[in-house]
Amino acid sequence: MIGSIFVTGPAGTGKSTFCGALKDWLISNDYNAAIVNLDPGAEFTPYEPDVDIRESISLAQIMSEFNLGPNGAQIVGADLILENTELIENSLKELDDYYVIFDTPGQIELFSFRPGSPLLVDKLSHGKAMVAFVTDAVLSASPSGFISQKMLYGSVMSRFFKPMLFILNKTDLIGDDDLRNILNWEQNPDQLYDAFLDEKQEMVKDYFSSVLNAFQESRMISKVLSVSSKDFYGFEDVYSEMSLFFMGGSDADTMYRDD
Ligand SMILES: Nc1nc2c(ncn2[C@@H]2O[C@H](COP(=O)(O)OP(=O)(O)O)[C@@H](O)[C@H]2O)c(=O)[nH]1
Ligand SMILES: [Mg+2]
């Protein structure tokens, strides 16, 4: 593979839709791309997976074998992925000149907070991995919402220590002013601070000031990639970041293209 991108984020933020849209965007720009579904509990995927963990792991079987309900089975299923990578690894061998997109379970904790996941990423990517944190623009449109998503991003980063992308998805659902605010808050933490104090009471001022300082000092995020997986908006920027990391910024991967 040229590189792999593991897509995580809170439930319903559009991870699976983003995976499908990214694959379509890559293919329509003459790159090879494939999707691996790593969610054994997915009832539906908005794309046709090229490789699917559901062929190796069945939640119904786990429920009956371990006498578990759906939640317990999802946790066991997530932990079993690490022991069931053979099919995926064999399929990946044929995807030499591909970008491989890994879709992960709906609930963020089933992937990002399981102890085996960093190992899984290394095993499947041979070190060529980025992690895309997908959040919902509607959730991030208030100062407190944006901060909470940044903190969640930080907590995912603390698990994987991989290059990360902050994908602000569903931008088609917010107005231009809200989008401008979010991008502005990222560039100007002082304005985020003021906006937050307008929204919340002063009593959290000290706490919040420390959190913002930590963000600033660690340069956590810096670039918000706004996309709409529904309208195919913003994917050139996502690809530029991928190309920057995997190919050193040059579009030298034309050597992998079909033409
Ligand atoms: N309007 C809009 N809806 C989206 C977008 N991306 C995903 N959705 C919708 O959000 C819902 C959850 O998407 P899904 O990809 O299943 O989320 P996941 O749980 O994070 O994998 C679905 O109804 C999608 O159609 C987007 O960019 N814009
Ligand atoms: Mg999903």
Side-chain angles (χ1 to χ4, degrees):
M1 68 175 74
I2 302 171
S4 55
I5 176 159
F6 288 77
V7 179
T8 184
T13 53
K15 297 180 290 297
S16 301
T17 313
F18 171 80
C19 289
L22 179 59
K23 177 181 169 182
D24 289 351
W25 187 91
L26 287 166
I27 289 175
S28 65
N29 283 278
D30 293 337
Y31 301 102
N32 289 325
I35 302 181
V36 179
N37 171 43
L38 285 183
D39 183 1
E43 281 173 13
F44 160 82
T45 54
Y47 52 78
E48 190 63 46
D50 298 277
V51 187
D52 199 339
I53 193 67
R54 289 174 299 182
E55 286 180 27
S56 310
I57 296 176
S58 146
L59 280 200
Q61 207 175 328
I62 293 172
M63 282 168 73
S64 68
E65 197 174 315
F66 296 92
N67 198 21
L68 289 169
N71 289 340
Q74 297 225 34
I75 293 171
V76 172
D79 287 347
L80 282 176
I81 299 176
L82 195 56
E83 293 162 30
N84 284 275
T85 53
E86 204 178 314
L87 174 90
I88 301 176
E89 287 184 280
N90 286 337
S91 310
L92 292 180
K93 282 183 194 143
E94 290 160 28
L95 302 178
D96 234 17
D97 54 351
Y98 276 64
Y99 286 104
V100 182
I101 304 158
F102 289 89
D103 190 15
T104 68
Q107 278 92 349
I108 186 168
E109 61 272 32
L110 290 174
F111 176 70
S112 288
F113 305 141
R114 299 309 298 165
S117 296
L119 283 175
L120 180 69
V121 168
D122 284 338
K123 197 171 176 193
L124 296 180
S125 69
H126 303 287
K128 289 191 279 187
M130 302 185 93
V131 174
F133 174 82
V134 176
T135 180
D136 181 325
V138 179
L139 288 181
S140 310
S142 65
S144 57
F146 182 54
I147 286 292
S148 72
Q149 295 306 301
K150 274 180 81 139
M151 291 175 93
L152 200 49
Y153 168 98
S155 108
V156 172
M157 189 165 72
S158 312
R159 292 293 289 174
F160 292 104
F161 290 107
K162 294 285 179 209
M164 301 259 308
L165 301 176
F166 187 97
I167 307 284
L168 184 75
N169 189 33
K170 304 196 191 180
T171 52
D172 57 290
L173 294 180
I174 61 169
D176 291 346
D177 285 350
D178 282 336
L179 181 57
R180 217 172 297 121
N181 276 340
I182 297 172
L183 300 178
N184 188 33
W185 291 334
E186 185 49 39
Q187 295 307 314
N188 301 292
D190 290 349
Q191 292 188 22
L192 178 58
Y193 183 71
D194 292 343
F196 184 81
L197 291 187
D198 281 347
E199 186 194 357
K200 300 283 174 198
Q201 319 99 353
E202 297 266 319
M203 60 187 273
V204 288
K205 205 168 170 175
D206 288 346
Y207 161 75
F208 190 66
S209 169
S210 313
V211 167
L212 268 192
N213 281 341
F215 286 163
Q216 229 170 329
E217 279 167 24
S218 65
R219 298 212 203 102
M220 200 168 100
I221 317 181
S222 76
K223 196 165 183 186
V224 171
L225 295 167
S226 19
V227 312
S228 165
S229 301
K230 210 172 156 198
D231 298 346
F232 286 88
Y233 162 79
F235 284 86
E236 297 80 5
D237 291 342
V238 175
Y239 178 70
S240 313
E241 294 297 316
M242 290 167 63
S243 150
L244 191 65
F245 177 64
F246 294 123
M247 313 296 293
S250 72
D251 207 9
D253 51 345
T254 42
M255 67 187 172
Y256 289 111
R257 290 191 184 198
D258 291 331
D259 55 6

